[in-house]
Amino acid sequence: MILSPVTVYDLSGRWSVSTSEQKVFHMTLPGTLDEYNIGLGELDVDAGEKRDIRLEAEVNPLDPNFDIIASDYADAAFELDRKEPIRTRFTRRHAYCGEARIYRLFTFEEHPGKRLFLEIERARDLRLFIDGEEIPYYEEPTLVSPAVFEVTGKIGGSHLLTIISSNDYVDEFKEEFLASNMASDDTQTNWNGLLGYVRLREENETFLSDIQLTISENREMTVTLEITSTKEATHSLSISANALENGIDREIMTAEGVKTLSITGLKLKASAKRWDENEGNLHELRVFLDKKLQTVDFGIRDFSVSSEGLLQLNGRRIFLRGETNEAVFPETGYLPTDIGTWEKIFKCYRSYGVNFVYFHGCCPTDAAFTAADGLGMLLCPEISISHSVSTLTSKNLRLYYKNECDAILRNYGSHPSFVMLGLGQEKKEREDFSQAVLDAYLTVLSKKDPTKLYITAGRIFTGKGVGARMAKIRFFAGQHEFPPDFREIDLFSGFCLPENLCVMKETAEQQKLLPYWDKYAAAGGGQALTLYRRDAENAYREDRFSGIVLSGLQDMPGFGTHLYGMLNSHLVPKHYDYSDARKFAAFFGPVVPMAVFSAPVYEAGETITARVSLSNFGKSPVKGALSYTVTLCEKTVEQAFEASEYPEGSVSTVGTLTVPGEILKALPDGECGLLSVTLRFGILENRYDVPIVPAVSPKKPAGITECSYPDESIFLALGQGNDVLLMPKTPAKAADLPMTGVDLHHPLLSKLPLQPGNSLFFERLLTQEPAPLDRKTRIPLFRVSFEDGSKIHGYFAEFRCRNGNVFLSTIPLRAHQDKPEGRALLAAIYDYMTSLDFSPSCEIRPDDLKQTIISLEEKALG
């Protein structure tokens, strides 16, 4: 555990920095070179005088009158060149890779009989020099643990402190490490600098260097002390806590070096409150060594897997509703080191129903665990090597793997919020991958800290040995991308530029889509919200499941620009109704009323039923009557099930919802409608919109030619002024809903039972790929590629050709006549093509139409 030292001397403030270019700047620590605009921009900059101004700022950094910092030249030095912008992620204003020399003059008076340690909370690869003499590490650091150097006897008086910080790793696994979120420019960035505390810690000759706490299932605490001493001596030791039945007072002997002392069997009071989900019940442990006090906050909790393979917290079943934190911090490029920021982040997550945060490819700072302790949020850090195919086949890599696991457990393991440790969720396996090595190490970890569960390659191991019991959690769920909220561009004022978003916006403007973008974004986000609800409810109902972890409520700008969040990358709700936290928490909370309909679309005259259940993964049974409201064409009927008690830790069947016949009579003959079903349990609500279509058997009207390929006879018919319904053989593809959605203003779709922009009505019909089409084409159902916004794909399109008109559908409607929506859609197309509204504005030449179909068919044939 990272202990709070009694006596520290703060070394934060103004330091000098020189880079491999031999140029000198000033920066304030803690901080990174990015924050002080040190390094070249990732986009091209002016190669003329403006760059020279910044790079030739060579003055004596130790001169007290020196008052030039790199940011003074930022505006003059940096100019965008968007010929080759980075499209897959945000763009760093200034990036530096290599060694940076960070130094300052320091005057200090050492005290006799004291030991001094220079500590840096978070850094990259460091070397410390005092007046040119290199100081070895006191503790071998990792990228997730503090860097510690002992400087006793070396720092009295005035000295030049020099820290060489390098973010250019020479290890054999550099590529794998840079692919993780701990150092990837796609997310946290491969920053260079010193973060968190930068300080001198003063200790007695004998001091507590570590305190570890474990609490067993029978509420007994073990306190493991690490005592470091320069000599053999007798010392007084006292341990107490209000949560303990009895403390201890004893004398202990120490020898030169490090002594580990374990005190077992400390009984906790029956009245001591447990730490729990959303309950940060903490207790203070007080440890006196020779009257010098160290305090540690702890929580009483048990996190385990039941004999049925279900996760349990404090002996009851818990369902994890998780968010994946990808270390996206667009204003700094690094994980925060202060408690207040983490509290704000976790409270934001919690407002959306989240109770568990999975840190993918990274381990947060101690402040994150401390904030989560106080809020009752469950955390799972992960080691910083993801995507590795050789994690356990390379000796050096195995050593790094082990050292980082050990460092994470040592520094953060006593936090009650730390319930799992990820050992590489996306670890790739190959023939020489040694599962036996991994299993052996898991056994070691389980013995070292049995209060944690361990995750690797999607498997969750208990703390009681490998293979004993495993729980099931669905990771990386809900990757439903939709158009961005361009308002976020105005929020960027830190280390990076949103060039990827700017490219999308510029392309949308060039293609004259910008006036409609809010409609597309709102429709796509609303549809994504519905799909997130489906993901969550399916997970609740899944037998023996213990959680669902979303890919992100927050947009992830990296690894291809993944925009699937209710929140933008700044953790700000997007500017649309779908991002309301209350709407998301309605189905992502501990208690959720749910309905399963027998079909996604119904025909008028059908009996509409749904199985209703209540998911209760709260802390206690809930009582009440679940009711529902059914509304169609402004006619409403309310019904209620009998009141009942629903036990915690389960999904209970409530009954069968049946839509009253009088409701369906409210729908005029031949028309479509949306049946709204709202479930209520107390203050909780969950709403479903069910499309209703008329019972039809579509018949092709006279004057319409239907075909799959435009041959000469088709062009002859078009020349005679006939209309053609063209349904080519396009490549098969799983349903890929067009998040930019449905044009409800188009006459074809205006009468179908669709929510604004919502294409779920089409889900079972979209079994083929859409066609890439010119934007001038009038397309009632389409999507825009998000990567750069330059491509439009249409499921429907219409053209003038010769003297007739062509309606193109890449949906094979003849193959879907067994579905109500398939019949209704084909009938709607026939009605539209025979109406005066069918008057395409875009003209296509016969050869171009033929080539479009040939390209689609060639793609279909592979």
Side-chain angles (χ1 to χ4, degrees):
M1 173 167 281
I2 298 176
L3 298 180
S4 299
V6 175
T7 306
V8 295
Y9 302 93
D10 189 10
L11 298 182
S12 64
R14 194 173 174 86
W15 288 61
S16 301
V17 183
S18 64
T19 65
S20 58
E21 299 164 329
Q22 300 301 309
K23 309 303 175 185
V24 177
F25 310 94
H26 271 169
M27 67 182 291
T28 298
L29 295 180
T32 65
L33 274 63
D34 291 66
E35 292 177 289
Y36 290 88
N37 302 303
I38 300 173
L40 297 179
E42 287 194 322
L43 294 177
D44 292 337
V45 296
D46 188 341
E49 295 181 359
K50 292 179 181 178
R51 177 185 288 182
D52 293 339
I53 289 174
R54 181 169 62 89
L55 296 182
E56 291 182 358
E58 293 188 68
V59 289
N60 180 7
L62 302 181
D63 183 343
N65 297 318
F66 178 68
D67 196 31
I68 299 175
I69 59 175
S71 58
D72 293 335
Y73 299 101
D75 294 336
F78 194 79
E79 291 187 351
L80 291 180
D81 178 357
R82 291 197 180 157
K83 293 179 182 178
E84 292 295 333
I86 298 174
R87 300 170 184 266
T88 59
R89 60 171 172 84
F90 295 152
T91 301
R92 294 171 72 177
R93 291 179 184 270
H94 297 277
Y96 179 81
C97 186
E99 288 190 348
R101 181 170 168 258
I102 304 172
Y103 54 101
R104 64 173 285 188
L105 286 173
F106 182 73
T107 301
F108 182 78
E109 180 182 349
E110 287 199 53
H111 302 118
K114 300 291 183 180
R115 296 178 68 176
L116 284 170
F117 300 88
L118 191 149
E119 299 181 312
I120 299 157
E121 184 174 358
R122 280 285 167 104
R124 298 310 197 189
D125 187 16
L126 296 186
R127 298 168 65 195
L128 172 67
F129 295 83
I130 298 179
D131 296 332
E133 176 189 353
E134 184 165 4
I135 308 300
Y137 280 116
Y138 176 72
E139 298 173 0
E140 191 67 29
T142 72
L143 296 170
V144 301
S145 59
V148 182
F149 304 87
E150 182 167 10
V151 294
T152 305
K154 299 180 181 298
I155 205 166
S158 294
H159 300 276
L160 178 64
L161 301 185
T162 303
I163 298 169
I164 305 295
S165 173
S166 175
N167 62 344
D168 185 17
Y169 315 97
V170 297
D171 304 274
E172 63 180 85
F173 49 90
K174 171 181 178 178
E175 182 178 345
E176 292 159 327
F177 172 69
L178 289 176
S180 76
N181 290 327
M182 200 69 193
S184 170
D185 283 332
D186 280 88
T187 53
Q188 187 183 191
T189 77
N190 184 28
W191 49 265
N192 194 333
L194 310 180
L195 299 179
Y197 52 73
V198 183
R199 68 193 186 191
L200 285 175
R201 169 169 58 95
E202 185 180 76
E203 298 283 4
N204 293 328
E205 291 180 325
T206 300
F207 64 95
L208 284 169
S209 47
D210 191 39
I211 302 174
Q212 297 291 330
L213 309 177
T214 57
I215 298 173
S216 65
E217 294 178 4
N218 62 356
R219 293 174 69 91
E220 287 190 354
M221 177 188 287
T222 297
V223 179
T224 301
L225 305 177
E226 183 183 271
I227 303 172
T228 301
S229 183
T230 58
K231 59 187 177 182
E232 181 177 324
T234 300
H235 304 275
S236 63
L237 175 68
S238 173
I239 298 176
S240 62
N242 291 335
L244 289 174
E245 290 185 355
N246 298 104
I248 66 162
D249 289 287
R250 66 175 65 167
E251 289 189 344
I252 60 170
M253 289 290 298
T254 61
E256 183 179 356
V258 178
K259 175 185 179 68
T260 299
L261 176 65
S262 288
I263 298 151
T264 61
L266 295 171
K267 290 283 188 179
L268 291 162
K269 294 178 180 178
S271 60
K273 289 185 177 180
R274 285 183 176 272
W275 186 91
D276 211 329
E277 174 188 0
N278 294 331
E279 291 185 47
N281 298 319
L282 298 174
H283 308 277
E284 184 182 72
L285 183 77
R286 298 177 295 275
V287 182
F288 285 91
L289 181 65
D290 293 336
K291 298 184 179 180
K292 185 175 181 179
L293 174 65
Q294 288 280 10
T295 62
V296 173
D297 288 336
F298 67 94
I300 304 168
R301 64 111 177 110
D302 174 54
F303 191 72
S304 60
V305 179
S306 71
S307 58
E308 294 82 18
L310 300 173
L311 287 180
Q312 292 185 318
L313 179 60
N314 298 331
R316 73 168 194 283
R317 184 181 178 188
I318 186 173
F319 194 95
L320 300 181
R321 304 180 304 278
E323 160 72 348
T324 301
N325 186 290
E326 303 273 4
V328 175
F329 296 95
E331 293 305 300
T332 61
Y334 55 78
L335 291 155
T337 58
D338 64 292
I339 296 171
T341 299
W342 282 112
E343 285 181 341
K344 183 178 179 181
I345 292 169
F346 293 147
K347 286 178 179 178
C348 177
Y349 288 165
R350 189 163 66 183
S351 70
Y352 284 82
V354 170
N355 64 0
F356 172 72
V357 182
Y358 175 70
F359 289 89
H360 185 31
C362 64
C363 177
T365 57
D366 189 68
F369 293 98
T370 301
D373 289 347
L375 293 172
M377 182 70 75
L378 287 76
L379 304 186
C380 175
E382 186 178 79
I383 64 167
S384 62
I385 295 181
S386 283
H387 314 291
S388 174
V389 296
S390 58
T391 302
L392 299 173
T393 58
S394 157
K395 181 178 179 181
N396 288 341
L397 203 49
R398 285 202 305 270
L399 180 61
Y400 178 89
Y401 191 91
K402 176 184 181 301
N403 287 345
E404 182 154 312
C405 286
D406 290 348
I408 291 173
L409 291 175
R410 173 183 171 88
N411 286 283
Y412 316 114
S414 292
H415 287 282
S417 58
F418 183 0
V419 296
M420 292 187 187
L421 176 60
L423 305 180
Q425 178 64 25
E426 292 188 37
K427 174 181 56 57
K428 298 177 182 177
E429 299 187 8
R430 62 184 187 186
E431 290 182 1
D432 60 353
F433 174 82
S434 177
Q435 187 63 47
V437 173
L438 177 61
D439 288 347
Y441 187 55
L442 280 166
T443 300
V444 171
L445 287 174
S446 297
K447 290 180 179 178
K448 178 176 292 188
D449 191 342
T451 70
K452 310 283 187 297
L453 302 184
Y454 300 91
I455 306 174
T456 176
R459 299 184 299 163
I460 300 174
F461 292 90
T462 72
K464 297 176 171 55
V466 174
R469 293 190 293 274
M470 292 184 286
K472 296 179 183 178
I473 296 178
R474 184 184 175 194
F475 283 93
F476 305 129
Q479 298 185 33
H480 307 298
E481 294 196 59
F482 50 94
D485 178 4
F486 289 137
R487 294 172 183 82
E488 187 188 3
I489 292 173
D490 296 332
L491 299 180
F492 287 81
S493 60
F495 85 100
C496 68
L497 296 161
E499 283 299 290
N500 48 353
L501 297 182
C502 289
V503 168
M504 293 183 195
K505 184 174 181 180
E506 289 170 2
T507 306
E509 188 171 20
Q510 292 167 5
Q511 301 295 339
K512 303 188 185 305
L513 282 174
L514 210 52
Y516 313 103
W517 199 261
D518 269 357
K519 181 183 73 173
Y520 300 153
Q527 180 172 300
L529 184 69
T530 300
L531 294 174
Y532 275 115
R533 181 184 66 189
R534 182 190 299 177
D535 292 336
E537 292 182 3
N538 286 342
Y540 300 151
R541 286 188 288 261
E542 185 75 25
D543 184 39
R544 295 166 63 87
F545 246 49
S546 286
I548 177 172
V549 180
L550 304 177
S551 272
L553 287 169
Q554 176 189 16
D555 280 348
M556 189 180 78
F559 300 110
T561 302
H562 297 299
L563 307 174
Y564 39 52
M566 301 290 105
L567 305 159
N568 62 31
S569 67
H570 285 75
L571 276 178
V572 175
K574 294 180 181 176
H575 191 76
Y576 306 103
D577 288 343
Y578 65 74
S579 65
D580 188 333
R582 292 169 296 180
K583 290 186 177 181
F584 203 95
F587 60 80
F588 212 61
V591 180
V592 179
M594 303 181 293
V596 178
F597 292 85
S598 57
V601 180
Y602 289 90
E603 247 176 11
E606 284 190 273
T607 299
I608 302 175
T609 61
R611 291 181 289 109
V612 178
S613 58
L614 187 82
S615 168
N616 179 15
F617 291 108
K619 301 174 185 176
S620 60
V622 293
K623 298 179 181 180
L626 192 150
S627 63
Y628 60 91
T629 301
V630 180
T631 303
L632 181 64
C633 299
E634 299 184 354
K635 185 170 183 178
T636 299
V637 173
E638 295 185 5
Q639 300 281 350
F641 296 97
E642 290 186 8
S644 183
E645 179 174 289
Y646 301 99
E648 74 277 17
S650 64
V651 177
S652 301
T653 298
V654 177
T656 300
L657 177 156
T658 303
V659 176
E662 62 265 28
I663 279 288
L664 294 181
K665 292 178 182 178
L667 187 65
D669 289 342
E671 292 193 11
C672 300
L674 274 175
L675 179 76
S676 175
V677 179
T678 302
L679 304 181
R680 292 186 177 86
F681 185 78
I683 62 172
L684 304 175
E685 289 190 1
N686 201 357
R687 174 177 164 173
Y688 302 82
D689 290 307
V690 184
I692 310 295
V693 298
V696 293
S697 297
K699 294 181 180 180
K700 183 175 70 65
I704 292 179
T705 301
E706 192 173 307
C707 66
S708 62
Y709 183 79
D711 57 20
E712 291 307 316
S713 65
I714 298 302
F715 290 122
L716 179 61
L718 287 168
Q720 295 172 349
N722 293 326
D723 294 335
V724 171
L725 173 57
L726 183 57
M727 291 186 286
K729 297 176 181 178
T730 55
K733 186 179 183 181
D736 188 12
L737 295 174
M739 291 297 188
T740 51
V742 178
D743 181 3
L744 290 183
H745 300 292
H746 193 285
L748 168 64
L749 304 180
S750 61
K751 296 181 180 180
L752 291 176
L754 305 171
Q755 293 172 312
N758 192 330
S759 56
L760 289 178
F761 170 86
F762 295 94
E763 185 172 16
R764 294 197 298 183
L765 306 178
L766 303 184
T767 56
Q768 309 296 117
E769 278 196 3
L773 298 167
D774 188 282
R775 289 185 183 278
K776 292 181 292 184
T777 306
R778 189 176 185 185
I779 304 173
L781 178 64
F782 66 96
R783 69 178 298 155
V784 175
S785 297
F786 308 129
E787 290 79 5
D788 56 12
S790 64
K791 296 178 181 178
I792 191 167
H793 303 270
Y795 289 92
F796 301 136
E798 54 191 12
F799 314 92
R800 292 195 319 272
C801 186
R802 290 189 172 176
N803 298 322
N805 299 317
V806 177
F807 189 91
L808 171 66
S809 169
T810 65
I811 300 175
L813 289 170
R814 287 295 174 191
H816 293 294
Q817 290 306 290
D818 59 332
K819 305 175 185 69
E821 60 267 39
R823 295 190 291 272
L825 181 55
L826 184 56
I829 291 174
Y830 287 155
D831 288 345
Y832 170 60
M833 291 182 68
T834 56
S835 72
L836 295 176
D837 291 321
F838 186 41
S839 180
S841 59
C842 179
E843 187 164 358
I844 191 169
R845 297 182 305 171
D847 288 346
D848 291 339
L849 179 60
K850 186 181 294 186
Q851 187 56 49
T852 298
I853 304 306
I854 289 173
S855 299
L856 288 171
E857 290 185 337
E858 287 177 347
K859 192 172 182 181
L861 293 172

